[in-house]
Amino acid sequence: MYDIFRDEVIVDLNDENFSKFYVQINKEKVDSFSIRFNDKIYNLSNVKNANGIEDGFYEIPHHGKLQLFIKHLVHKQNDHVMITYTYKQVLWLKRENHFYDISSKKKFIRQFPNHKKSVRRKIRLLKINFDFPNRLKLVKLLQHAESL
């Protein structure tokens, strides 16, 4: 299991001897892992000492000339009556060992100043919503950007 709030890997040791026994794995010892959630498989890698992004587990769905890094986050809000949790994805583009925040349409287009029209057109064609990004559509967008 993956505790998205704490960015930790949890192992369920539920067997006949232990009832609901969980162990938090030392994050430093985990390079990567896969998890199934809502009929999708997510492959997360432990990114350490990368210049420009925080250490932690990132989904990296595209490995090409451009790489897409997705940080899955949950924010806790307490309004003195109820505690709520809000899910968010932060998107990073890795190009030539530099990371760029692409969590909005504007930020993404800014990375391709010579191809703004083409990139805008592709975003519109794929119907990409940067508030709730779809990783498969983002991969198609990156493949298009690599071909420019």
Side-chain angles (χ1 to χ4, degrees), residues 12-129:
D12 181 356
L13 297 178
N14 191 15
D15 65 13
E16 55 200 51
N17 297 322
F18 299 105
S19 179
K20 294 297 175 194
F21 188 70
Y22 301 100
V23 175
Q24 178 180 322
I25 303 298
N26 182 348
K27 186 189 307 193
E28 299 302 316
K29 304 292 183 186
V30 178
D31 289 329
S32 62
F33 66 95
S34 297
I35 190 164
R36 180 183 298 271
F37 181 71
N38 287 343
D39 296 326
K40 293 180 184 168
I41 296 177
Y42 296 86
N43 299 306
L44 288 104
S45 296
N46 194 357
V47 177
K48 303 173 198 167
N49 303 319
N51 190 14
I53 62 173
E54 289 183 31
D55 290 358
F57 292 105
Y58 289 80
E59 181 183 5
I60 310 172
H62 182 70
H63 298 273
K65 190 167 61 172
L66 303 173
Q67 289 182 304
L68 175 63
F69 284 64
I70 302 173
K71 181 68 174 170
H72 299 273
L73 299 170
V74 171
H75 295 287
K76 181 179 178 181
Q77 290 123 4
N78 185 353
D79 65 0
H80 302 292
V81 176
M82 184 185 330
I83 296 174
T84 58
Y85 296 88
T86 306
Y87 171 74
K88 182 180 180 182
Q89 293 180 31
V90 180
L91 307 173
W92 295 93
L93 175 69
K94 182 179 179 186
R95 180 179 18 183
E96 298 170 1
N97 291 322
H98 295 289
F99 288 90
Y100 304 93
D101 180 357
I102 57 166
S103 294
S104 72
K105 179 179 173 180
K106 188 176 186 178
K107 289 177 181 179
F108 186 87
I109 292 170
R110 193 179 303 147
Q111 298 306 314
F112 305 95
N114 298 331
H115 304 284
K116 286 181 180 184
K117 281 186 179 181
S118 177
V119 171
R120 268 194 201 101
R121 211 174 311 129
K122 193 66 171 180
I123 290 171
R124 220 172 314 148
L125 178 70
L126 292 170
K127 298 178 182 173
I128 295 176
N129 179 349

